[in-house]
């Protein structure tokens, strides 16, 4: 029986916005480069591990005699080094924040639809990311609103990772119940 701790080669890791932001202030913005790298790389690894998670969900459903839903559409990988280096041009930083926000919203909608077939009650609730509001706030404040947008995006990813861990634990519990009932 696999558990949540050994199904992923990489555990989702929180990004502490306050630490990185203070580091960026002290280093005159230099700490934003590793922060963006870590955000994009963490996102990529989380989405790569989704295939393994989907296989576990599909196996669970097959063991219950149910047809698993079609696999989720894979999310495009982003080059973390290139994206982190590109923020030196400033404008790409806004694009990265936008795409990180949009990718998470799409991923959560797909994951929620996929998990409806498995979980008896909703453990995972998709978050809403008001992209239009954040874009308008960033434009209206001549870019300063992007700091708040980045803060919210980091928190949304952290909340998603936490919710995903809860879903993984619930799936493990259901699979253990199933295997003990089959014995």
């Amino acid at each position: 029986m696999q558990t949540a701790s050994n199904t992923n080669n990489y555990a989702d890791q929180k990004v502490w916005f306050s630490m990185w932001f203070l580091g960026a202030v002290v280093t005159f913005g230099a700490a934003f480069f590793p922060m963006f790298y870590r955000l994009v790389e963490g996102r990529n690894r989380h989405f790569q591990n989704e295939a393994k998670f989907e296989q576990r969900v599909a196996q669970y459903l097959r063991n219950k005699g149910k047809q698993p839903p079609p696999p989720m559409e894979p999310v495009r990988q982003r080059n973390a080094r290139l994206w982190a280096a590109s923020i030196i041009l400033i404008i790409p930083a806004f694009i990265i924040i936008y795409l990180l926000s949009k990718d998470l919203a799409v991923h959560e909608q797909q994951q929620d639809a996929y998990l409806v077939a498995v979980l008896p009650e909703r453990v995972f609730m998709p978050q809403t990311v008001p992209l239009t509001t954040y874009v308008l706030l960033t434009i209206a404040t001549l870019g300063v609103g992007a700091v708040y947008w980045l803060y919210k995006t980091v928190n949304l990813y952290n909340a998603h990772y936490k919710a995903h861990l809860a879903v993984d634990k619930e799936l493990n519990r259901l699979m253990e119940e199933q295997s003990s009932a089959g014995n």
Side-chain angles (χ1 to χ4, degrees):
M1 179 76 209
Q2 291 183 329
T3 62
S5 62
N6 66 11
T7 55
N8 295 336
N9 295 334
Y10 174 83
D12 295 325
Q13 296 178 353
K14 281 186 170 186
V15 173
W16 297 99
F17 180 81
S18 57
M19 176 190 74
W20 286 104
F21 186 74
L22 288 174
V25 169
V26 169
T27 62
F28 302 103
F32 278 125
F33 293 101
M35 177 186 177
F36 273 86
Y37 175 82
R38 187 164 175 193
L39 279 170
V40 175
E41 186 64 20
R43 167 216 173 270
N44 287 342
R45 288 186 178 178
H46 175 76
F47 292 158
Q48 285 172 345
N49 287 330
E50 275 309 299
K52 294 174 191 172
F53 179 75
E54 283 183 37
Q55 290 171 355
R56 292 180 53 234
V57 169
Q59 184 61 42
Y60 170 76
L61 288 172
R62 281 191 218 91
N63 290 346
K64 286 191 77 158
K66 295 181 180 179
Q67 180 66 26
M72 294 188 299
E73 192 171 312
V75 178
R76 183 175 171 213
Q77 297 295 302
R78 310 260 185 226
N79 184 328
R81 286 188 179 119
L82 177 66
W83 282 51
S86 72
I87 68 168
I88 197 152
L89 302 174
I90 307 299
I91 298 298
F94 301 120
I95 296 167
I96 294 169
I97 298 169
Y98 173 80
L99 290 174
L100 284 170
S101 302
K102 185 177 178 187
D103 288 349
L104 182 62
V106 168
H107 170 68
E108 287 188 336
Q109 289 172 349
Q110 289 177 342
Q111 191 173 44
D112 185 54
Y114 189 80
L115 291 174
V116 165
V118 177
L119 301 176
E121 60 187 54
R122 268 182 139 165
V123 175
F124 183 78
M125 297 297 287
Q127 304 168 46
T128 57
V129 181
L131 291 175
T132 306
T133 303
Y134 292 147
V135 169
L136 292 175
L137 178 66
T138 300
I139 292 169
T141 60
L142 302 175
V144 176
V147 173
Y148 177 71
W149 186 5
L150 180 60
Y151 166 77
K152 292 299 285 183
T153 300
V154 167
N155 285 341
L156 289 172
Y157 270 90
N158 288 340
H160 176 77
Y161 295 157
K162 184 178 179 181
H164 196 277
L165 183 60
V167 169
D168 205 28
K169 286 179 182 179
E170 179 67 12
L171 179 60
N172 285 334
R173 186 188 67 74
L174 292 171
M175 291 176 86
E176 287 174 5
E177 282 179 5
Q178 186 180 52
S179 65
S180 65
N183 291 336

